[in-house]
Amino acid sequence: MLQPNPYDVLFEEVQIGPVTAPNRFYQVPHACGMGHLRPQAHAAMREVKALGGWGVVCTEETEIHPSSDLSPYSEQRLWDERDIPALSLMVEAVKRHGALVGIELVHNGHMASNLFSRLPALAPADIQLDDGYPRMARRMDKSDIRELRRWHRRAARNAKAAGFDIIYVYAGHDMAVPQHFLLPRYNQRSDEYGGSLENRARLIRELLSETKDEVGDRCAVALRLGLDERMGADGMQAHEEGRAVVELLADIPDLWDVNVSNWQNDTVSTRFEPDEGYEVDQMRFVREVTGKPTVGVGRFTSPDLMVRLVRGGVLDLIGAARPSIADPYLPNKIAEGRTDAIRECIGCNICASSDKLGVPIRCTQNPTMGEEWRRGWHPESIAQRASDAEVLVVGAGPAGLECALQLGRRGYRVSVAEATGEFGGRSLRESGLKGLTAWRRVADNRLYELSQMANVRLYRESPMSAGDIVETESAAVFLATGARWRGDGTGRTHFRPVQGLSDIAVFTPDDVMAGNLPVGPVVIYDDDQGYMGGVIADHLAGKSLAVTFVTTASIVSPFTTLTLEQHRIQSSLIAAGVKLVLSSKLVAAGRGTVSTADIYGGSRDEIACTGLVLVTARDIDRSLSAALKREAPDLCVETIGDALAPGLIADATFSGHLAARNFESDVLETEAAIYRREMPALPAVNTL
Amino acid sequence: MLQPNPYDVLFEEVQIGPVTAPNRFYQVPHACGMGHLRPQAHAAMREVKALGGWGVVCTEETEIHPSSDLSPYSEQRLWDERDIPALSLMVEAVKRHGALVGIELVHNGHMASNLFSRLPALAPADIQLDDGYPRMARRMDKSDIRELRRWHRRAARNAKAAGFDIIYVYAGHDMAVPQHFLLPRYNQRSDEYGGSLENRARLIRELLSETKDEVGDRCAVALRLGLDERMGADGMQAHEEGRAVVELLADIPDLWDVNVSNWQNDTVSTRFEPDEGYEVDQMRFVREVTGKPTVGVGRFTSPDLMVRLVRGGVLDLIGAARPSIADPYLPNKIAEGRTDAIRECIGCNICASSDKLGVPIRCTQNPTMGEEWRRGWHPESIAQRASDAEVLVVGAGPAGLECALQLGRRGYRVSVAEATGEFGGRSLRESGLKGLTAWRRVADNRLYELSQMANVRLYRESPMSAGDIVETESAAVFLATGARWRGDGTGRTHFRPVQGLSDIAVFTPDDVMAGNLPVGPVVIYDDDQGYMGGVIADHLAGKSLAVTFVTTASIVSPFTTLTLEQHRIQSSLIAAGVKLVLSSKLVAAGRGTVSTADIYGGSRDEIACTGLVLVTARDIDRSLSAALKREAPDLCVETIGDALAPGLIADATFSGHLAARNFESDVLETEAAIYRREMPALPAVNTL
């Protein structure tokens, strides 16, 4: 007899207004960098979520009018009827698999700069655009509010026509006008939309009512609300007005989708919120107050926690953005009792970075994410092997493990030779640094999967020379030997080695990861500008070293703005006593000192220190591939991951995955995928 | 008998390899933010240049392969044959008017991050991507170089198929691989592509030869080369290797398109290069050395200078990007002896900002720029009036003057009432600040045009009350009364007034522009983050005041990164002795002091000063429009420019232009234009 699944409760249907979710797994609206520019890619990506068992799958933000124009960022659009066909692609793709499909209608107010439409932005008051473009949003008058309601109603009607089941009113993440009206710092109006909470919530109430009136016969109407801004008394607090708003509007929405505002506070990286469920305390009251279906998020991947939240009456639906990106098949895996196989989100926020960069979503853990349409990749299936070839992967870091895993899934006999005593490479090494513990999941997940495969063998302490490789008689070799941080100061700023480095104790991130730490006052020089410099500073400050952080950037770790971490990082370094020297380059080093220069004014400074950590650029050792080319010119050799081009771990897992997919595949199709993209429609009558 | 045109030499034909330019006016390749995402808008914009008399009209950068993927920026693409139809739209549009059409093929190397294609970037060495994404470009091996040459050849073939007359090899602005190979800081190779200048120029030579081989029978092949990097001995210098490269390759290209590298040095604002022709000294030798047709730029708008450059044997073709944006009809106006009517570029670089923002080009002087396709606007023609209505414009700043000008062109009888003694409003006031002299051209050009119109009357010193306006019996009123800088500290950071401002002498930019200057040590608090704060600091430092510049941004005037000025601005303030306090907010003011707090760490600081200039947000006085609504509820009143939503001068001229175009126009068409955009093609078989 089959064991009862302890997680059965997660697979119960949930009635949401006039529609019924087939289970409790709910992919909340999340950005993906595809949007209106890439409707086919978008539909294919959302379809995989439905295939993987998510009972509800939503869009990202969907602009309802050109006065909420987020260009150049590509979110969804439902400006008018012409957007219906593109959105219908997604609707059709998701519903095909029995899931409900939701759309997050949004007017972004002063968070939209309208750089394409050129319309004045709209806000409760005359306030500046959020993005730094020196233009102000216009205080909405009564006719503006009427117009906004008309646009929202029209968008709801069009969303229904496109086939959506759940239609949102969005008032969260500090990104939407209805929330801006709610917040006293923006809303100091003296009319019936300002003053009391009831007045400030009037626009939300109107939008909810009008949306229900327009589409409520067939569609559920959801309210997505930021309950708490994590600003203390300077902003909304869940136990104060957050709760009061929920009480005020309790009966109106068919579904409450609640979270913490803003995006930085909702989508926190594991570096700053290592545990899942970090928003539960703020949302605990909503279900009880409203009695309505409630969904919330918090990087949930543990089915036990999910069951507790449902049984405890906190949530009816388990919301997810990042866990559904890292593993679109998370629900199916729970249903099938394969919880060990869940590819757990590492909370690195590379997914968020792609949206902020305006390009399709990527994921460190799930390299198929964003490639569903262009390359036809699926997270759980892959073409079977084309031959009986035995293959060798040299290096068991993120690229090597991913490559071996996918080659193994394809059925090849794979050997993995790792030079050191441990598997995991960079993801393991970096996970020893302060804040990056979760990054070892990149290795853990793959090592678990590989341990289930009879056709893949991993070897520790197996450095390979070209001769060793030739002796294995492998049909193909994948070199995933990684990169090392440079110790000569070359990087973005210096193209030749920095003078005087032999006079001071120089360290690199590799030294720090290996436990080889400086002893005295230390200068960290960050010319990489990624996340590593700030991590090293935090790590060394945590060892009670006196740290001065010198960087060519004007802020600490500017790349982490894209992963929503930058403000927290710079604040935490200051709190840890790290001294910051910004917009400065290293000029020279000497005995007990380094010299820096301001990159604008050129003024020099001397900093006394006994150690210097260089976080500049990385170096590739190509001697093995060169030797192979000499000794076995006909051997099929492919370099992957950091050994090909040092980048993020996400770049490495993608590279490893790509190589495994492409191995012995149709070359024409592989080449065609490089060029595949969505292109603008041209006039029907091209006179040429 | 007609006078001979003194500028006839500018209208001579120029033979360029196998093609003939109809005159010497040459729109060099320039970015426009339209690119592959907006091919119809792009074609329409370039067509207007051809209509206006430019003998050659070029594209912007055109990516030749997915490994040169500039996403999310939208430049042109010629990755493969599928891009031909979109590019053909432009070819057809330009050639229809007798101009030659050129295409700038480019491989951007490590300046392209390949965020969409995800391919490793390519460079002469393993160096970091330029944009801050923490990934490194890959050192090109011999097969990479062969591939790049193959891609370039294919792109040239496809460009010819699309109908282009001039096909570029691009080695300029620090943006292209062929130039990166040329520069020793990037190229430290020891193979035949590194070392000697001949070796470093090998790739350019190969690309030129192969392009000529592929398309030279019918197309001219141009080389766009950065001759000087303005870095002294740290970079290429025109009198050193710059000249040597030209000597080395002299005979190969059909056309030399020469300039100064990088983009910041080529496209300098009037704030830092007030005079046109600022690159002439660097390019003077090229024509003499090569004997080939030569084109160069330098914000040329003076036909006398153009004639001197041609007669002096410096240039054969007068290159222009910005002057052709500000006035697409510049050549025709010179031909017709209407040089007074040239709408002269003010060198504000808002055109560049739109490309860097990823949205269609705009221009302070020419509000039709970028709206040719979406709104059907033309810089020199406009629909005639729909009635005999007499209209009133209140305020003679950028929005008011532009609105009056276009209403006048439409044939309406227009009165302009200006409250002060001078016409020009903000453009005039700001032109009194250090570095912004050229901004008065916004007023000068319009006042000249208006002076030619019998149907427009301008009145100075005519403040208007609602009663005054009603008395004019105007059929419509346009309120262009501008905005004032706030004096209470509210802005991006503070939503309520800052404490203690009554205890210190507070100034705003309006005070400074009016000559009401602080006397003692002064703090400038910039929470606007546009250009104004830095200008005020420069202005006051120029008056020998001790200036401390406090800003919530991490750099001075971050918006000016988009106008290519930021580095110069911050450097010049430091050189002028301005003390910078970055990433800090104003907390309070008191007698002889202000308090600031670091926005990351919260640490407080006190700065002694006797004056405080607040550059925060702007305020709109809506009393006139409110009074009109009360006293003349049926009067047609439209608010425009800063009075509608304070922004850039470019926003104001656009707003004034839009109002004039839309006045008494077809409402359906006006509304439709708000929604018009180019959208991706959907699958031919939509199963829905």
Side-chain angles (χ1 to χ4, degrees), chain B residues 94-122:
Chain B
V94 169
K95 291 179 111 165
R96 196 179 293 146
H97 308 288
L100 296 180
V101 59
I103 183 167
E104 182 178 60
L105 302 182
V106 57
H107 195 293
N108 295 96
H110 68 284
M111 298 288 157
S113 295
N114 300 339
L115 294 172
F116 174 76
S117 74
R118 305 177 79 171
L119 294 174
L122 299 173

mmCIF file of all heavy atoms in Angstrom, chain B residues 94-122:
data_model
loop_
_atom_site.group_PDB
_atom_site.id
_atom_site.type_symbol
_atom_site.label_atom_id
_atom_site.label_comp_id
_atom_site.label_asym_id
_atom_site.label_seq_id
_atom_site.Cartn_x
_atom_site.Cartn_y
_atom_site.Cartn_z
ATOM 1 N N VAL B 94 15.932 56.783 -46.733
ATOM 2 C CA VAL B 94 16.986 57.778 -46.969
ATOM 3 C C VAL B 94 17.237 57.952 -48.472
ATOM 4 O O VAL B 94 17.347 59.073 -48.979
ATOM 5 C CB VAL B 94 18.280 57.371 -46.233
ATOM 6 C CG1 VAL B 94 19.461 58.226 -46.683
ATOM 7 C CG2 VAL B 94 18.080 57.473 -44.721
ATOM 8 N N LYS B 95 17.301 56.849 -49.183
ATOM 9 C CA LYS B 95 17.646 56.921 -50.603
ATOM 10 C C LYS B 95 16.542 57.568 -51.436
ATOM 11 O O LYS B 95 16.815 58.152 -52.488
ATOM 12 C CB LYS B 95 17.962 55.525 -51.135
ATOM 13 C CG LYS B 95 19.265 54.956 -50.578
ATOM 14 C CD LYS B 95 19.546 53.575 -51.088
ATOM 15 C CE LYS B 95 20.745 53.566 -52.022
ATOM 16 N NZ LYS B 95 21.263 52.201 -52.248
ATOM 17 N N ARG B 96 15.340 57.464 -50.941
ATOM 18 C CA ARG B 96 14.200 58.098 -51.603
ATOM 19 C C ARG B 96 14.469 59.574 -51.878
ATOM 20 O O ARG B 96 13.890 60.161 -52.775
ATOM 21 C CB ARG B 96 12.989 57.935 -50.677
ATOM 22 C CG ARG B 96 11.638 58.177 -51.288
ATOM 23 C CD ARG B 96 10.558 57.954 -50.217
ATOM 24 N NE ARG B 96 10.469 56.566 -49.807
ATOM 25 C CZ ARG B 96 10.172 56.136 -48.575
ATOM 26 N NH1 ARG B 96 9.944 57.005 -47.603
ATOM 27 N NH2 ARG B 96 10.115 54.855 -48.305
ATOM 28 N N HIS B 97 15.346 60.186 -51.068
ATOM 29 C CA HIS B 97 15.583 61.624 -51.199
ATOM 30 C C HIS B 97 16.974 61.931 -51.745
ATOM 31 O O HIS B 97 17.481 63.041 -51.598
ATOM 32 C CB HIS B 97 15.351 62.289 -49.845
ATOM 33 C CG HIS B 97 14.026 61.915 -49.263
ATOM 34 N ND1 HIS B 97 12.833 62.402 -49.773
ATOM 35 C CD2 HIS B 97 13.684 61.048 -48.286
ATOM 36 C CE1 HIS B 97 11.818 61.856 -49.105
ATOM 37 N NE2 HIS B 97 12.312 61.030 -48.201
ATOM 38 N N GLY B 98 17.605 60.918 -52.330
ATOM 39 C CA GLY B 98 18.850 61.178 -53.052
ATOM 40 C C GLY B 98 20.105 61.143 -52.214
ATOM 41 O O GLY B 98 21.197 61.405 -52.720
ATOM 42 N N ALA B 99 19.982 60.852 -50.954
ATOM 43 C CA ALA B 99 21.176 60.798 -50.102
ATOM 44 C C ALA B 99 21.791 59.399 -50.160
ATOM 45 O O ALA B 99 21.124 58.416 -50.487
ATOM 46 C CB ALA B 99 20.803 61.148 -48.664
ATOM 47 N N LEU B 100 23.071 59.353 -49.850
ATOM 48 C CA LEU B 100 23.717 58.067 -49.633
ATOM 49 C C LEU B 100 23.401 57.593 -48.215
ATOM 50 O O LEU B 100 23.188 58.398 -47.314
ATOM 51 C CB LEU B 100 25.237 58.189 -49.787
ATOM 52 C CG LEU B 100 25.780 58.582 -51.155
ATOM 53 C CD1 LEU B 100 27.315 58.648 -51.095
ATOM 54 C CD2 LEU B 100 25.324 57.613 -52.245
ATOM 55 N N VAL B 101 23.451 56.278 -48.038
ATOM 56 C CA VAL B 101 23.133 55.736 -46.729
ATOM 57 C C VAL B 101 24.282 54.830 -46.269
ATOM 58 O O VAL B 101 24.761 53.978 -47.018
ATOM 59 C CB VAL B 101 21.753 55.037 -46.745
ATOM 60 C CG1 VAL B 101 21.703 53.896 -47.758
ATOM 61 C CG2 VAL B 101 21.343 54.561 -45.369
ATOM 62 N N GLY B 102 24.737 55.102 -45.052
ATOM 63 C CA GLY B 102 25.892 54.378 -44.523
ATOM 64 C C GLY B 102 25.529 53.535 -43.304
ATOM 65 O O GLY B 102 24.578 53.838 -42.588
ATOM 66 N N ILE B 103 26.314 52.509 -43.077
ATOM 67 C CA ILE B 103 26.092 51.637 -41.913
ATOM 68 C C ILE B 103 27.412 51.421 -41.179
ATOM 69 O O ILE B 103 28.440 51.140 -41.795
ATOM 70 C CB ILE B 103 25.454 50.297 -42.330
ATOM 71 C CG1 ILE B 103 25.158 49.428 -41.092
ATOM 72 C CG2 ILE B 103 26.345 49.525 -43.322
ATOM 73 C CD1 ILE B 103 24.251 48.233 -41.404
ATOM 74 N N GLU B 104 27.339 51.568 -39.873
ATOM 75 C CA GLU B 104 28.524 51.399 -39.040
ATOM 76 C C GLU B 104 28.514 50.004 -38.420
ATOM 77 O O GLU B 104 27.846 49.763 -37.408
ATOM 78 C CB GLU B 104 28.537 52.478 -37.940
ATOM 79 C CG GLU B 104 29.767 52.415 -37.057
ATOM 80 C CD GLU B 104 29.771 53.522 -36.008
ATOM 81 O OE1 GLU B 104 28.838 53.586 -35.173
ATOM 82 O OE2 GLU B 104 30.707 54.332 -36.024
ATOM 83 N N LEU B 105 29.236 49.102 -39.046
ATOM 84 C CA LEU B 105 29.351 47.748 -38.496
ATOM 85 C C LEU B 105 30.293 47.782 -37.301
ATOM 86 O O LEU B 105 31.323 48.448 -37.328
ATOM 87 C CB LEU B 105 29.897 46.799 -39.563
ATOM 88 C CG LEU B 105 29.085 46.691 -40.848
ATOM 89 C CD1 LEU B 105 29.726 45.687 -41.795
ATOM 90 C CD2 LEU B 105 27.638 46.306 -40.561
ATOM 91 N N VAL B 106 29.938 47.034 -36.272
ATOM 92 C CA VAL B 106 30.765 47.099 -35.077
ATOM 93 C C VAL B 106 30.790 45.770 -34.337
ATOM 94 O O VAL B 106 29.786 45.058 -34.274
ATOM 95 C CB VAL B 106 30.284 48.227 -34.125
ATOM 96 C CG1 VAL B 106 28.844 48.039 -33.735
ATOM 97 C CG2 VAL B 106 31.165 48.334 -32.881
ATOM 98 N N HIS B 107 31.966 45.452 -33.850
ATOM 99 C CA HIS B 107 32.064 44.444 -32.794
ATOM 100 C C HIS B 107 32.640 45.138 -31.577
ATOM 101 O O HIS B 107 33.751 45.633 -31.603
ATOM 102 C CB HIS B 107 32.935 43.252 -33.188
ATOM 103 C CG HIS B 107 32.725 42.097 -32.263
ATOM 104 N ND1 HIS B 107 33.090 42.132 -30.940
ATOM 105 C CD2 HIS B 107 32.115 40.901 -32.452
ATOM 106 C CE1 HIS B 107 32.743 40.990 -30.359
ATOM 107 N NE2 HIS B 107 32.150 40.227 -31.246
ATOM 108 N N ASN B 108 31.852 45.157 -30.508
ATOM 109 C CA ASN B 108 32.182 45.980 -29.355
ATOM 110 C C ASN B 108 33.142 45.345 -28.362
ATOM 111 O O ASN B 108 33.516 45.986 -27.375
ATOM 112 C CB ASN B 108 30.910 46.392 -28.607
ATOM 113 C CG ASN B 108 30.016 47.289 -29.425
ATOM 114 O OD1 ASN B 108 29.074 46.842 -30.068
ATOM 115 N ND2 ASN B 108 30.318 48.573 -29.434
ATOM 116 N N GLY B 109 33.478 44.090 -28.570
ATOM 117 C CA GLY B 109 34.440 43.469 -27.662
ATOM 118 C C GLY B 109 34.003 43.530 -26.215
ATOM 119 O O GLY B 109 32.844 43.248 -25.904
ATOM 120 N N HIS B 110 34.895 43.934 -25.337
ATOM 121 C CA HIS B 110 34.578 43.933 -23.904
ATOM 122 C C HIS B 110 33.700 45.111 -23.499
ATOM 123 O O HIS B 110 33.359 45.246 -22.318
ATOM 124 C CB HIS B 110 35.856 43.896 -23.055
ATOM 125 C CG HIS B 110 36.671 45.159 -23.134
ATOM 126 N ND1 HIS B 110 37.448 45.486 -24.215
ATOM 127 C CD2 HIS B 110 36.822 46.179 -22.258
ATOM 128 C CE1 HIS B 110 38.044 46.643 -23.993
ATOM 129 N NE2 HIS B 110 37.687 47.076 -22.822
ATOM 130 N N MET B 111 33.336 45.959 -24.474
ATOM 131 C CA MET B 111 32.362 47.009 -24.185
ATOM 132 C C MET B 111 30.933 46.457 -24.305
ATOM 133 O O MET B 111 29.979 47.138 -23.938
ATOM 134 C CB MET B 111 32.537 48.186 -25.136
ATOM 135 C CG MET B 111 33.899 48.850 -25.020
ATOM 136 S SD MET B 111 34.065 49.807 -23.482
ATOM 137 C CE MET B 111 35.853 49.852 -23.313
ATOM 138 N N ALA B 112 30.783 45.272 -24.862
ATOM 139 C CA ALA B 112 29.480 44.605 -24.922
ATOM 140 C C ALA B 112 29.462 43.533 -23.847
ATOM 141 O O ALA B 112 30.381 42.717 -23.766
ATOM 142 C CB ALA B 112 29.263 43.976 -26.292
ATOM 143 N N SER B 113 28.433 43.536 -23.028
ATOM 144 C CA SER B 113 28.403 42.559 -21.936
ATOM 145 C C SER B 113 27.660 41.292 -22.319
ATOM 146 O O SER B 113 27.651 40.335 -21.542
ATOM 147 C CB SER B 113 27.769 43.185 -20.696
ATOM 148 O OG SER B 113 28.577 44.239 -20.220
ATOM 149 N N ASN B 114 27.019 41.283 -23.482
ATOM 150 C CA ASN B 114 26.331 40.071 -23.954
ATOM 151 C C ASN B 114 25.332 39.553 -22.928
ATOM 152 O O ASN B 114 25.221 38.344 -22.711
ATOM 153 C CB ASN B 114 27.353 38.987 -24.311
ATOM 154 C CG ASN B 114 28.305 39.449 -25.399
ATOM 155 O OD1 ASN B 114 28.008 40.366 -26.148
ATOM 156 N ND2 ASN B 114 29.451 38.807 -25.491
ATOM 157 N N LEU B 115 24.612 40.482 -22.340
ATOM 158 C CA LEU B 115 23.694 40.097 -21.274
ATOM 159 C C LEU B 115 22.499 39.331 -21.812
ATOM 160 O O LEU B 115 21.880 38.552 -21.091
ATOM 161 C CB LEU B 115 23.221 41.334 -20.513
ATOM 162 C CG LEU B 115 24.313 42.067 -19.730
ATOM 163 C CD1 LEU B 115 23.775 43.386 -19.181
ATOM 164 C CD2 LEU B 115 24.852 41.203 -18.603
ATOM 165 N N PHE B 116 22.151 39.545 -23.066
ATOM 166 C CA PHE B 116 21.085 38.755 -23.680
ATOM 167 C C PHE B 116 21.641 37.460 -24.270
ATOM 168 O O PHE B 116 21.166 36.376 -23.959
ATOM 169 C CB PHE B 116 20.361 39.581 -24.753
ATOM 170 C CG PHE B 116 19.350 38.794 -25.517
ATOM 171 C CD1 PHE B 116 18.122 38.473 -24.954
ATOM 172 C CD2 PHE B 116 19.621 38.344 -26.802
ATOM 173 C CE1 PHE B 116 17.187 37.718 -25.655
ATOM 174 C CE2 PHE B 116 18.696 37.591 -27.508
ATOM 175 C CZ PHE B 116 17.472 37.274 -26.932
ATOM 176 N N SER B 117 22.674 37.582 -25.091
ATOM 177 C CA SER B 117 23.181 36.389 -25.781
ATOM 178 C C SER B 117 23.901 35.436 -24.842
ATOM 179 O O SER B 117 23.970 34.241 -25.080
ATOM 180 C CB SER B 117 24.123 36.791 -26.917
ATOM 181 O OG SER B 117 25.373 37.222 -26.415
ATOM 182 N N ARG B 118 24.477 35.961 -23.779
ATOM 183 C CA ARG B 118 25.218 35.188 -22.775
ATOM 184 C C ARG B 118 26.513 34.586 -23.315
ATOM 185 O O ARG B 118 27.110 33.723 -22.647
ATOM 186 C CB ARG B 118 24.324 34.116 -22.127
ATOM 187 C CG ARG B 118 23.055 34.711 -21.535
ATOM 188 C CD ARG B 118 22.128 33.681 -20.949
ATOM 189 N NE ARG B 118 22.560 33.252 -19.619
ATOM 190 C CZ ARG B 118 21.830 32.486 -18.817
ATOM 191 N NH1 ARG B 118 20.640 32.089 -19.195
ATOM 192 N NH2 ARG B 118 22.276 32.122 -17.640
ATOM 193 N N LEU B 119 26.955 35.014 -24.470
ATOM 194 C CA LEU B 119 28.239 34.543 -24.989
ATOM 195 C C LEU B 119 29.366 35.249 -24.245
ATOM 196 O O LEU B 119 29.215 36.389 -23.802
ATOM 197 C CB LEU B 119 28.344 34.852 -26.479
ATOM 198 C CG LEU B 119 27.357 34.112 -27.393
ATOM 199 C CD1 LEU B 119 27.474 34.623 -28.827
ATOM 200 C CD2 LEU B 119 27.624 32.608 -27.346
ATOM 201 N N PRO B 120 30.516 34.592 -24.120
ATOM 202 C CA PRO B 120 31.662 35.302 -23.553
ATOM 203 C C PRO B 120 32.032 36.492 -24.440
ATOM 204 O O PRO B 120 31.981 36.397 -25.663
ATOM 205 C CB PRO B 120 32.781 34.244 -23.562
ATOM 206 C CG PRO B 120 32.085 32.930 -23.639
ATOM 207 C CD PRO B 120 30.832 33.188 -24.430
ATOM 208 N N ALA B 121 32.357 37.589 -23.819
ATOM 209 C CA ALA B 121 32.820 38.749 -24.579
ATOM 210 C C ALA B 121 34.240 38.493 -25.068
ATOM 211 O O ALA B 121 34.966 37.667 -24.512
ATOM 212 C CB ALA B 121 32.766 39.997 -23.704
ATOM 213 N N LEU B 122 34.630 39.228 -26.086
ATOM 214 C CA LEU B 122 35.918 38.997 -26.736
ATOM 215 C C LEU B 122 36.787 40.240 -26.652
ATOM 216 O O LEU B 122 36.297 41.360 -26.781
ATOM 217 C CB LEU B 122 35.687 38.626 -28.207
ATOM 218 C CG LEU B 122 34.863 37.355 -28.429
ATOM 219 C CD1 LEU B 122 34.550 37.169 -29.906
ATOM 220 C CD2 LEU B 122 35.592 36.134 -27.875
#
